[in-house]
Amino acid sequence: MNDLLKLTIREILGLYREKSLSPAEYWQAVEARIASVEPKVQALYLYDPEGARSQAEASTRRWAWGEPLGPLDGIPVTVKELIATRGDPVPMGTRAVDLVPAAEDAPAAARLREDGAIIFAKTTCPDYGMLSSGLSSFHPLTRNPWDLSQNPGGSSAGASAAAAACFGPLHIGTDIGGSVRLPAGWTGIFGFKPSHGRIPVDPYYLGRCAGPMTRTVEDAALSMPTLSRPDWRDGTALEPNDYDWLDFDLDVKGMKIGLMMDAGTGLSVDADVQQAVLSAARRFEDAGAVVVPVAPVLTREMLDGLDVFWRARFWGQIEKLPDARKAMILPYIFQWAEGGSSVSGVEAVRGFDRTIEMRRACSKLFSQVDAVLSPTNPIVSYPADWASPTNDPSQPFEHIAFTVPWNMSEQPAASINCGFSTSGMPIGLQIVGPRFGDLLVLKLAHAFEEWSGGVTAWPELANE
């Protein structure tokens, strides 16, 4: 692998400033990597190398003049397919959607362009973003770069695979129940779901937010001044901030950190995952934090209620599609959604009310602790062609029990690699902070990355 691909955003920008590397030269390295590896991982949609070359040349001229547009000028970036980019269709991962060009950039894409980032591709996702899988009725099967027989997770499947495959340093995903953190955990990268409204999204709906997916904590932090600028299209967007997103100074001594090893329901935790997360928790203890076991915030009734609500909501979106269009939806997703056809309005509201219960349980826990550690994913891995870790539409949410409560409570949470299984697959540690405690989550993640050394060797793939 070209050594340029291992550089962080800070290092790349430093070389741009020194004029020892140009955006055009860096893009050449990324383009060569994609040509070699993308046929194996299938992470990209609407890949446009010619357009990227043009953007990189324009950025090269700006850097030569000493006039970069913003803090990400010349940095190659992907955005998840669900994030609209002007003039491009948004197929939502499914063959059932008409390919109509988007009229304008969604907030994240607009902010990236304003700051000179090179958007060179969209990244794949499953049908309607409703699976934690690289399986889609529209896109080719996306695979995990660490083991091509395994699943990268989802729904930000392509973003996680692209990051782990070293297709540039920054990839933007979306998350409604774990779709940034789950694939981050399964591919060994860093995935950050900020407080809801911190990064504006359009359209907004319950639980949805956007977040950076990178190979280092600092790279994610460097994207936040750009991504977090307000946008009127998101009515939940938070007020402008002047945070120093690179202030990682933190002494964890005396902090009370909850350790949640039982999600309360869903899939049981694999032994390798348990061992890796417990080892990570000991690093916080060694640094002086008080790590205490905490009970789960989720119950079976909450998770099942969420399932009922989402089935009803999604069925409401697709029920009027012609039968021919419905038949194009991934069968797993259609079978799951069809269960919403018999849900009454009262039952749907009761299901929604379970999200309020989750929010209350999360708030109660954070009245007792400063942060929470847990596994990101309960299991190590699953086959690439499975629609979900259970591969069973009657059990669609069993794998999100550690992640989904923090979407409902709107709290910041991140996944960072904390080791590897005996089979060689990455394992994710989830770090959760109080609502609006985005900087705290980044500080804790950065501290852990410093203690652990982070991931130093990424999949080569060139000879596979």
Side-chain angles (χ1 to χ4, degrees):
M1 188 189 301
N2 190 320
D3 286 343
L4 290 177
L5 300 172
K6 302 173 185 177
L7 298 176
T8 66
I9 292 176
R10 181 194 290 273
E11 291 167 339
I12 295 165
L13 293 175
L15 294 175
Y16 289 173
R17 291 188 193 96
E18 295 170 3
K19 296 182 171 54
S20 56
L21 177 71
S22 73
E25 291 167 335
Y26 181 70
W27 170 251
Q28 289 174 4
V30 175
E31 185 176 335
R33 174 67 173 171
I34 293 170
S36 173
V37 173
E38 169 61 6
K40 301 178 178 72
V41 297
Q42 298 287 297
L44 305 181
Y45 171 61
L46 294 181
Y47 173 47
D48 181 14
E50 184 176 344
R53 284 183 225 122
S54 177
Q55 293 178 68
E57 289 166 2
S59 178
T60 295
R61 291 192 292 271
R62 291 193 294 270
W63 278 103
W65 298 331
E67 298 177 353
L69 286 177
L72 295 177
D73 200 333
I75 298 299
V77 178
T78 69
V79 295
K80 188 175 178 177
E81 186 245 271
L82 300 180
I83 299 171
T85 48
R86 182 170 51 83
D88 298 324
V90 185
M92 305 284 287
T94 180
R95 292 172 56 232
V97 170
D98 288 327
L99 298 181
V100 178
E104 58 184 357
D105 287 332
R111 301 294 87 77
L112 290 165
R113 290 196 206 277
E114 289 167 1
D115 282 356
I118 299 169
I119 300 178
F120 65 89
K122 311 291 285 290
T123 50
T124 62
C125 68
D127 289 52
Y128 298 97
M130 293 303 295
L131 291 177
S132 190
S133 176
L135 183 64
S136 161
S137 67
F138 180 83
H139 299 293
L141 178 64
T142 304
R143 297 177 180 272
N144 193 321
W146 293 94
D147 182 340
L148 296 175
S149 73
Q150 298 300 293
N151 209 298
S155 62
S156 303
S160 64
C166 297
F167 294 177
L170 178 60
H171 308 270
I172 312 303
T174 60
D175 189 317
I176 62 172
S179 289
V180 163
R181 290 155 292 154
L182 293 167
W186 278 312
T187 57
I189 65 170
F190 179 69
F192 180 46
K193 181 199 79 68
S195 298
H196 290 226
R198 183 70 68 203
I199 297 176
V201 294
D202 179 40
Y204 169 80
Y205 46 82
L206 178 69
R208 188 175 192 237
C209 60
M213 304 176 73
T214 59
R215 292 190 302 278
T216 69
V217 176
E218 184 183 73
D219 280 354
L222 278 164
S223 74
M224 288 303 293
T226 297
L227 296 172
S228 65
R229 290 203 296 272
D231 191 294
W232 69 266
R233 290 171 289 176
D234 186 346
T236 71
L238 301 180
E239 63 183 4
N241 66 76
D242 57 357
Y243 297 155
D244 180 357
W245 289 98
L246 294 178
D247 177 11
F248 295 127
D249 187 36
L250 177 68
D251 184 356
V252 303
K253 187 175 182 180
M255 283 188 65
K256 189 175 182 181
I257 299 179
L259 177 60
M260 185 183 294
M261 296 302 300
D262 176 8
T265 190
L267 297 174
S268 59
V269 177
D270 284 351
D272 282 356
V273 174
Q274 183 173 27
Q275 182 178 344
V277 172
L278 289 175
S279 177
R282 284 193 288 272
R283 289 187 181 270
F284 285 89
E285 284 186 319
D286 292 344
V290 179
V291 178
V292 297
V294 294
V297 291
L298 194 66
T299 66
R300 181 78 257 172
E301 293 75 19
M302 291 177 188
L303 193 61
D304 288 346
L306 183 68
D307 183 19
V308 167
F309 171 75
W310 277 108
R311 286 180 195 243
R313 182 185 184 277
F314 189 58
W315 183 253
Q317 291 179 309
I318 68 171
E319 68 172 335
K320 293 183 180 180
L321 288 177
D323 289 343
R325 287 282 181 181
K326 288 178 182 175
M328 295 179 183
I329 299 172
L330 195 72
Y332 180 107
I333 285 290
F334 185 78
Q335 185 178 339
W336 168 76
E338 196 172 24
S341 64
S342 61
V343 173
S344 70
V346 171
E347 289 169 329
V349 171
R350 285 175 181 159
F352 175 81
D353 285 345
R354 295 295 189 183
T355 70
I356 307 301
E357 293 176 21
M358 288 186 213
R359 191 183 189 107
R360 182 177 178 85
C362 293
S363 296
K364 182 179 180 181
L365 174 58
F366 269 81
S367 70
Q368 303 161 8
V369 298
D370 300 310
V372 168
L373 305 176
S374 79
T376 304
N377 312 296
I379 65 170
V380 165
S381 190
Y382 56 105
D385 59 355
W386 281 21
S388 75
T390 65
N391 209 30
D392 181 352
S394 70
Q395 296 183 308
F397 293 164
E398 301 305 295
H399 58 289
I400 66 173
F402 282 111
T403 54
V404 72
W406 316 114
N407 291 77
M408 301 304 106
S409 66
E410 303 188 2
Q411 293 175 230
S415 178
I416 187 168
N417 179 260
C418 65
F420 291 81
S421 68
T422 54
S423 60
M425 298 303 291
I427 296 171
L429 168 72
Q430 183 174 227
I431 302 174
V432 186
R435 195 172 180 216
F436 310 131
D438 305 73
L439 287 174
L440 175 61
V441 170
L442 290 174
K443 288 172 187 280
L444 289 168
H446 187 265
F448 180 77
E449 188 177 58
E450 291 284 300
W451 301 332
S452 66
V455 178
T456 57
W458 295 92
E460 291 286 343
L461 289 167
N463 297 320
E464 293 187 14

